[in-house]
Amino acid sequence: MQVSNITKSFGPDEARVTVLNGVSLTIRKGEFVSLIGPSGCGKSTLLKVVAGLSDADGGSVSINGKSVAEAARRKAIGLVPQSPALLPWRTILDNVSLPIKINPAANAGRTLRDPKEILTSFGLGKAMDRYPAQLSGGMQQRAAIARAFVFDPDILLMDEPFSALDEMNRDQQRMGLLDFWQSNQKSVLFVTHSVPEAIMLSDRIVLMAAHPGRIAEIIDVDLPRPRNEALYATDAFRDLEGYVRNALRKVMEAAHV
Amino acid sequence: MSDAMTANPVQTRKTASPVARLVGSWLPPAVTFVIVAVLWQVVALNNPYVLPTLESVGNSMASDPHMYWANMLVTCQEIVIGAGAGILFGFLLAVAMSELPIIEKAVMPLIVVIMVTPVVAIAPALVVAFGFGMLPKYIVTGLVVFFPMLVNSLAGLRDVDQKALDVFKTLHASRWETFRDLRLPGCMPFVFAGLRIAMPLAVVGAAVAEFVAAGQQAGLGSLVTISAAQANLPVTWASIALLCLLGVVLVSLLALLRKRVLWWSDADVIGR
Ligand SMILES: Nc1ncnc2c1ncn2[C@@H]1O[C@H](COP(=O)(O)OP(=O)(O)OP(=O)(O)O)[C@@H](O)[C@H]1O
Ligand SMILES: [Mg+2]
């Protein structure tokens, strides 16, 4: 996926605010990229532009060499919103099967996954026939992630999928996503506020600065895979965490001057 | 009642026996009704020109059940056809408005004008236009329920979960798919809120239609006006009681239907 020179601003002419200014980014096939930065720097806006939910004022996005509109038509984009956004009147299984049922013309020539199998691998095998309201927040969010993986999109976009969860649950869901992703490497653009989460999951971390939103630094995460909890305790992890936190602090201080 | 469903083993209090629970939920309203009935009898026995006694109302119903039944059927017909059409049309127009905003812009001002015009004032004009048949009564009954259905359905169709809508958009869901799988089921809580307002109004609408668009003198509303004019209080109050019963039945049926359709929106009900 390629994002080149995206600009976007909001507001009427006199009070126009530039939210994204010349953002360029390439995500390779099967690469996990995290987007981190101060609140309001335009992470969600960038994700919306990439998802085709909002139009940029300038620049272009291409997914596998095709425009976002074309990618959407082919169901190439999997979205995991901040809240699970499951349909309360459908069972978990029916919720996860929904992307297969919708826009069926785009199903041709792709390897759809078996919803039951994917739910089982997300640890929701016993919850398939239940309704979202009967599940915990963490389980709901896992179902939302399963829903994005089930139709085998080219790229997954996740906007702080774990932000509504408490710390313990959050870590559990994060490791679940890590496990699943390590055995199904897909291109992912993952927005987060958590430095350890970004390091644990990503191949690269994109650090954004605010006013206007732009990329300040791209940090490679050269930690071996497959990863697991043990990584938190390593020096390499701690060093990198210190580095990212420091870079983040600099970006935030610069914004206040 | 919901206590029983959410009862949680850890904090269970000594559960009351079913008989005790039944008594607990029925006794208080029953006492209220008995007190009202006694007061009624006291007033009726001392002021025969203000209220009829309860026996005289009961006797009136028992002596001519066919007459009441026939009139009730007429009122029911007005409700089923008139309110049914009003509800359906209100909902369909809401769908059209939410799918094509231009329709809302074009039609909403006219609808507001119609809605602020008192129905009671339109009715005689409808009789002149459509004659003394049932049509003016259907229209009056339908008009009364139309607006709450339109407004509530429209609010429901607009209240779609934005995050779920984003997921649908990235899947390139067609308009029809988005409507069928997201907007339509999602708007049902609002539709039922609209129905909850519309149902009692339907009875009011039918009664008012019979008062003002007299035409053929039939229906419980007509029965009220005719008998009141003749100071035949037992018939008046028997008819009022039946109108009230009609409203209660409609609201109860609606509650049953809501439980079937909308089980997912009440957290308590899901835990079956
Ligand atoms: N529809 C909109 N209209 C006007 N301004 C907007 C709109 N959407 C976003 N903005 C502005 O754009 C800026 C970036 O918003 P965005 O939601 O992308 O930030 P973010 O990086 O995702 O923040 P957070 O970390 O808090 O989620 C904010 O200043 C916000 O006020
Ligand atoms: Mg955001």
Side-chain angles (χ1 to χ4, degrees):
Chain A
M1 185 206 70
Q2 199 155 18
V3 174
S4 14
N5 212 16
I6 293 289
T7 39
K8 172 135 188 108
S9 43
F10 286 111
D13 288 335
E14 329 82 64
R16 218 158 166 77
V17 180
T18 305
V19 173
L20 294 174
N21 190 13
V23 173
S24 300
L25 175 68
T26 303
I27 298 179
R28 289 185 292 273
K29 220 179 171 70
E31 190 182 27
F32 198 117
V33 174
S34 285
L35 208 52
I36 200 164
S39 192
C41 69
K43 303 183 292 292
S44 298
T45 306
L46 178 60
L47 210 74
K48 280 209 162 126
V49 169
V50 174
L53 298 171
S54 160
D55 287 326
D57 300 335
S60 68
V61 179
S62 70
I63 294 170
N64 263 349
K66 308 209 173 52
S67 71
V68 174
E70 175 64 20
R73 209 167 303 130
R74 294 160 162 253
K75 282 207 288 199
I77 304 165
L79 181 71
V80 182
Q82 197 165 349
S83 59
L86 299 168
L87 307 182
W89 52 86
R90 281 175 169 254
T91 62
I92 294 302
L93 181 62
D94 287 345
N95 262 289
V96 170
S97 311
L98 192 74
I100 296 176
K101 193 179 141 207
I102 281 179
N103 187 7
N107 284 347
R110 66 201 298 158
T111 44
L112 298 170
R113 317 199 35 146
D114 177 6
K116 288 186 181 169
E117 199 182 285
I118 206 164
L119 278 169
T120 307
S121 63
F122 271 100
L124 292 169
K126 293 210 181 72
M128 273 192 265
D129 296 324
R130 306 175 87 187
Y131 289 89
Q134 296 172 292
L135 267 56
S136 73
M139 289 164 94
Q140 291 183 26
Q141 199 62 54
R142 248 181 293 158
I145 295 175
R147 177 182 59 188
F149 270 102
V150 76
F151 62 106
D152 194 40
D154 293 337
I155 183 157
L156 280 120
L157 307 173
M158 309 195 191
D159 193 353
E160 304 190 41
F162 306 138
S163 62
L165 305 179
D166 61 76
E167 185 57 35
M168 250 157 57
N169 204 342
R170 191 183 164 115
D171 196 51
Q172 194 189 343
Q173 303 315 325
R174 175 191 300 165
M175 298 324 282
L177 173 61
L178 179 69
D179 279 347
F180 189 83
W181 182 82
Q182 284 179 159
S183 46
N184 304 269
Q185 300 208 346
K186 291 244 138 240
S187 311
V188 175
L189 183 57
F190 185 90
V191 176
T192 178
H193 269 127
S194 157
V195 174
E197 181 165 284
I199 298 174
M200 182 54 82
L201 293 170
S202 322
D203 297 311
R204 282 189 297 156
I205 298 174
V206 174
L207 180 65
M208 283 184 72
H211 314 295
R214 62 199 183 276
I215 294 177
E217 189 176 349
I218 296 184
I219 301 161
D220 284 311
V221 182
D222 288 323
L223 299 173
R225 286 188 191 273
R227 301 172 185 163
N228 55 39
E229 280 102 334
L231 189 67
Y232 283 132
T234 62
D235 289 339
F237 187 93
R238 295 221 177 110
D239 290 348
L240 192 56
E241 184 175 352
Y243 179 83
V244 176
R245 283 196 195 282
N246 201 29
L248 196 57
R249 194 172 317 122
K250 270 192 227 150
V251 161
M252 292 173 87
E253 274 163 12
H256 287 141
V257 177
Chain B
M1 292 240 291
S2 72
D3 276 346
M5 289 177 189
T6 55
N8 161 342
V10 185
Q11 39 170 244
T12 310
R13 284 161 286 155
K14 264 261 177 269
T15 328
S17 74
V19 176
R21 225 179 309 145
L22 208 65
V23 170
S25 61
W26 283 97
L27 198 57
V31 168
T32 311
F33 277 112
V34 169
I35 292 173
V36 171
V38 168
L39 287 177
W40 180 292
Q41 282 300 74
V42 170
V43 174
L45 288 171
N46 293 311
N47 308 280
Y49 296 106
V50 176
L51 289 178
T53 60
L54 293 175
E55 316 88 276
S56 69
V57 174
N59 288 341
S60 164
M61 281 196 221
S63 67
D64 199 354
H66 291 294
M67 189 269 293
Y68 286 107
W69 182 243
N71 281 292
M72 185 141 99
L73 280 185
V74 171
T75 305
C76 281
Q77 187 186 339
E78 288 156 8
I79 291 173
V80 169
I81 298 179
I87 286 167
L88 190 69
F89 189 61
F91 177 73
L92 291 179
L93 190 60
V95 170
M97 283 179 172
S98 87
E99 293 294 318
L100 291 172
I102 181 84
I103 295 189
E104 181 180 8
K105 277 205 193 108
V107 181
M108 206 44 142
L110 172 67
I111 289 172
V112 172
V113 168
I114 294 175
M115 283 309 134
V116 297
T117 315
V119 181
V120 186
I122 305 179
L126 289 176
V127 174
V128 173
F130 299 109
F132 286 103
M134 292 298 276
L135 189 58
K137 293 177 189 174
Y138 295 151
I139 296 178
V140 169
T141 312
L143 268 180
V144 174
V145 296
F146 167 75
F147 201 55
M149 276 316 288
L150 172 71
V151 173
N152 277 281
S153 307
L154 195 57
L157 290 160
R158 297 255 161 85
D159 184 63
V160 56
D161 178 348
Q162 282 303 320
K163 295 277 192 294
L165 189 61
D166 283 351
V167 171
F168 273 69
K169 279 187 194 157
T170 53
L171 292 169
H172 210 260
S174 67
R175 257 183 164 196
W176 165 242
E177 285 168 329
T178 309
F179 178 74
R180 182 194 61 195
D181 291 330
L182 184 62
R183 285 188 201 275
L184 180 62
C187 79
M188 282 303 143
F190 286 76
V191 167
F192 273 87
L195 284 170
R196 183 67 185 71
I197 300 170
M199 281 302 162
L201 278 183
V203 180
V204 175
V208 168
E210 291 168 9
F211 292 169
V212 291
Q216 12 159 277
Q217 307 253 299
L220 293 173
S222 302
L223 212 51
V224 170
T225 28
I226 297 166
S227 60
Q230 299 164 349
N232 190 347
L233 286 184
V235 174
T236 307
W237 281 98
S239 311
I240 293 172
L242 289 174
L243 279 171
C244 168
L245 180 71
L246 214 53
V248 170
V249 167
L250 280 176
V251 170
S252 310
L253 285 178
L254 181 68
L256 276 179
L257 186 67
R258 186 181 193 282
K259 246 186 196 152
R260 303 220 60 163
V261 176
L262 226 56
W263 51 269
W264 54 266
S265 89
D266 307 314
D268 270 6
V269 184
I270 290 182
R272 32 183 185 173

